[in-house]
Structures are given as structure tokens and as C-alpha cells.
């Protein structure tokens, strides 16, 4: 919710929380092994008389395929062909969602930081991402050519397919909840650049609670970008993030199987609806 007045946003959240107390049940796009403590708090302190159904990750339950995607932008499948030519866990995937915007100076710092990291990168630069400019106008002449096919830029990507690709080693994200869950479900560590609303909390959980990513704490600066990519993808420290990310991936997978927490919660939801 960019450019939203803080008071209006606070009122929206307050109204949503209060009105939900009159519901017959609440469905959450999460799972017990990811947010068990938070779900317990919700049950005990906020909605003690309302059943809670954490049945996520939703996208793993959906029958939607890349060919029938609900995406508002056309997905460029060329990125999958390009990923097929890259080494395992070598690519930094960069996408800031459908609403975030950056200025020209930030765009250039990101571009140079990615280039200087030495890692191949897939960058989603959707229309209107760069304020008051086309990204091709901002990049220096010869920038992409100098990278010698180490970079691939598209307007929109089939994100779930990209994150599941074995070549992807890190995801630089705005930390919207859908993107965060998609990355967790594929065991991909994250670089966090939250922009507004719940993204701030999501990023803090990624970096400080689950410890499967790092935040850009000091703004967008090419040296910082290069360092954080190398920490996660090249240096020994990165192996710890990868191991924790893979453990969460396994938990996300198990929760949807028969007997898993989300499986049981979905079964409970169906029974609850039939009882109303």
C-alpha cells in the first residue's frame, strides 16, 4: 500500500481486526511449523472463541499452472531457458513485486551492485518500476553487453517456476507475504528490501526469526548490494542460511501431506463449514 497515510492504514488494520471477530472462522496462509507461536497467540489472546485454520502455503495447494496464471503481466518464459544454462545455485533472482517503485539513483546502485557481485542474475524490471523513466534510459550504454550474458532482464517472470529452478541460489525480494512463502517453500534464501505495510514485519522474520535471509540495513548502495549477495552465495556463512532454508522447505512440504498440520487444518475447515 504505497503512499498510504499512516493513520488511514492503522485504521484499516484496526477495522479489519475488529470486524473479523464476528466471523465464523479465520483462514491463514501459513503453517504451524512456520508461525506456531504467533498462531497460538492469535488463538489465545485475540480470537479465543473463533476457530483458526492455517492451511498454507496456498500456492502449493492451487491447481493454477504457469499457463493459466492469474498474473496481471505477461510472464516471460525466456528466463527459464536462460536459467537452464546456469550452474546450480549460482543465480541471484531479483523481483520487487507488482507495486514497489524505486528512483533512478537506486536503480543504478542495484544494477552496479549486481554486476560487481560476480554472480549471474535474473532481474525483473516491470513497467513503471523506475520512477519517471524507462530502465533502458537509466542503464549506462553497453552495461548489459559488458556482462557477457551473465544477466537476464525481463518485464515479468513466472516466479514460482523460477524459485523452483535449481540454478537459483538467492531471491532479492520486497518481502510481500506471497513472495516470502514462495521462497520458503523452495528453500531459497532471501535478500530483504521491504517497502511498505506488512513487508517490514515479514523481512524481520526472514532475517531475525527464521534466519533464512539478510536485510539491506543501510539503504541501497552498490557496495552493500555486492557484499550481501556474496555473503549469501559465496562466503561460508551462506551455507548456514541455505541449510535453514532447506529445513523450512521440507517442513512446508510435510505440512501439506496427509497427517500434516495444514492437511489436518484443511480437513477441519471442511468439517466446520459443513457444520454451520
Amino acid at each position: 500500500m504505497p503512499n498510504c497515510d499512516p493513520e488511514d492504514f492503522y485504521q484499516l488494520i484496526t477495522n479489519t481486526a475488529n470486524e473479523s471477530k464476528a466471523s465464523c472462522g479465520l483462514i491463514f496462509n501459513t503453517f504451524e511449523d512456520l508461525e506456531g507461536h504467533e498462531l497460538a497467540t492469535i488463538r489465545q489472546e485475540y480470537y479465543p472463541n473463533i476457530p483458526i485454520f492455517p492451511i498454507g502455503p496456498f500456492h502449493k495447494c492451487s491447481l493454477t499452472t504457469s499457463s493459466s496464471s492469474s498474473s496481471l503481466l505477461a510472464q516471460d518464459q525466456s528466463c527459464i531457458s536462460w536459467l537452464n544454462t546456469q550452474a546450480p545455485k549460482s543465480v541471484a533472482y531479483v523481483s520487487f513485486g507488482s507495486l514497489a517503485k524505486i528512483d533512478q539513483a537506486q536503480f543504478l546502485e542495484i544494477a552496479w551492485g549486481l554486476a560487481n557481485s560476480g554472480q549471474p542474475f535474473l532481474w525483473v524490471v516491470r513497467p513503471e518500476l523506475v520512477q519517471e523513466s524507462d530502465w533502458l534510459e537509466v542503464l549506462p550504454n553497453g552495461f548489459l553487453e559488458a556482462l557477457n550474458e551473465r544477466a537476464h532482464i525481463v518485464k515479468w517472470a513466472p516466479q514460482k517456476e523460477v524459485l523452483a529452478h535449481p540454478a537459483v541460489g538467492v531471491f532479492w525480494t520486497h518481502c510481500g507475504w506471497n513472495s516470502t512463502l514462495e521462497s520458503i517453500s523452495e528453500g531459497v534464501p532471501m535478500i530483504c528490501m521491504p517497502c511498505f505495510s506488512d513487508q517490514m514485519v515479514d523481512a524481520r522474520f526472514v532475517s531475525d526469526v527464521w534466519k533464512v535471509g539478510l536485510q539491506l540495513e543501510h539503504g541501497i548502495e552498490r557496495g552493500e548490494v555486492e557484499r550481501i549477495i556474496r555473503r549469501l552465495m559465496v562466503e561460508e556463512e551462506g551455507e548456514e542460511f541455505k541449510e535453514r532454508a532447506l529445513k523450512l522447505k521440507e517442513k512446508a512440504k510435510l505440512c501439506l501431506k496427509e497427517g500434516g498440520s495444514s492437511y489436518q487444518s484443511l480437513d477441519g475447515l471442511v468439517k466446520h463449514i459443513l457444520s454451520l
Side-chain angles (χ1 to χ4, degrees):
M1 194 174 296
N3 302 320
C4 177
D5 181 87
E7 288 297 325
D8 291 340
F9 183 66
Y10 175 78
Q11 194 59 50
L12 172 65
I13 297 300
T14 300
N15 291 343
T16 300
N18 289 336
E19 290 173 7
S20 63
K21 292 179 179 178
S23 67
C24 296
L26 294 175
I27 299 170
F28 286 92
N29 185 17
T30 188
F31 56 97
E32 291 286 351
D33 275 335
L34 186 67
E35 296 189 283
H37 175 76
E38 290 70 30
L39 288 166
T41 299
I42 290 172
R43 290 185 177 103
Q44 294 166 11
E45 298 185 19
Y46 296 97
Y47 303 101
N49 302 314
I50 299 174
I52 303 295
F53 303 100
I55 60 174
F58 285 176
H59 73 282
K60 286 293 187 180
C61 304
S62 172
L63 296 178
T64 300
T65 64
S66 58
S67 61
S68 61
S69 171
S70 60
S71 173
L72 297 177
L73 296 172
Q75 297 177 345
D76 189 337
Q77 291 289 330
S78 69
C79 59
I80 302 301
S81 299
W82 179 81
L83 285 171
N84 290 340
T85 68
Q86 305 301 314
K89 302 299 180 185
S90 66
V91 174
Y93 169 54
V94 186
S95 180
F96 305 133
S98 57
L99 293 176
K101 292 188 176 183
I102 56 178
D103 60 35
Q104 295 183 26
Q106 291 172 322
F107 182 82
L108 273 177
E109 291 300 307
I110 292 171
W112 283 115
L114 288 168
N116 294 341
S117 73
Q119 297 297 127
F121 61 91
L122 169 60
W123 191 2
V124 174
V125 184
R126 70 169 204 284
E128 300 183 0
L129 171 67
V130 186
Q131 296 173 5
E132 301 178 356
S133 178
D134 185 275
W135 63 274
L136 288 172
E137 299 171 357
V138 180
L139 284 177
N141 288 334
F143 177 84
L144 289 176
E145 292 78 3
L147 291 172
N148 193 27
E149 300 186 0
R150 185 161 58 84
H152 193 74
I153 297 180
V154 296
K155 292 182 178 179
W156 202 245
Q159 181 159 292
K160 291 188 283 292
E161 193 175 351
V162 167
L163 289 170
H165 198 285
V168 173
V170 76
F171 177 23
W172 185 354
T173 173
H174 64 307
C175 284
W177 186 241
N178 287 337
S179 290
T180 300
L181 263 189
E182 288 165 7
S183 196
I184 285 172
S185 297
E186 300 302 338
V188 179
M190 285 167 267
I191 297 171
C192 305
M193 191 180 77
C195 300
F196 44 80
S197 66
D198 67 308
Q199 297 166 17
M200 310 299 184
V201 177
D202 298 346
R204 190 59 66 185
F205 267 70
V206 168
S207 60
D208 291 6
V209 179
W210 306 316
K211 299 184 186 300
V212 292
L214 294 169
Q215 285 204 63
L216 282 168
E217 299 281 8
H218 307 295
I220 302 174
E221 186 274 324
R222 65 187 68 182
E224 178 73 2
V225 170
E226 178 185 353
R227 283 190 294 272
I228 204 166
I229 290 174
R230 294 187 65 82
R231 281 182 66 187
L232 287 172
M233 301 190 73
V234 179
E235 297 174 9
E236 186 175 346
E237 177 187 13
E239 294 301 318
E240 299 174 7
F241 288 93
K242 294 172 187 175
E243 289 176 8
R244 287 191 289 267
L246 288 174
K247 287 179 181 178
L248 276 186
K249 174 184 177 179
E250 185 62 21
K251 290 178 179 179
K253 180 181 178 181
L254 290 175
C255 77
L256 294 169
K257 290 188 173 183
E258 185 172 358
S261 62
S262 292
Y263 183 99
Q264 292 182 13
S265 191
L266 179 58
D267 185 58
L269 173 61
V270 172
K271 291 177 180 177
H272 180 66
I273 292 173
L274 292 174
S275 71
L276 296 177

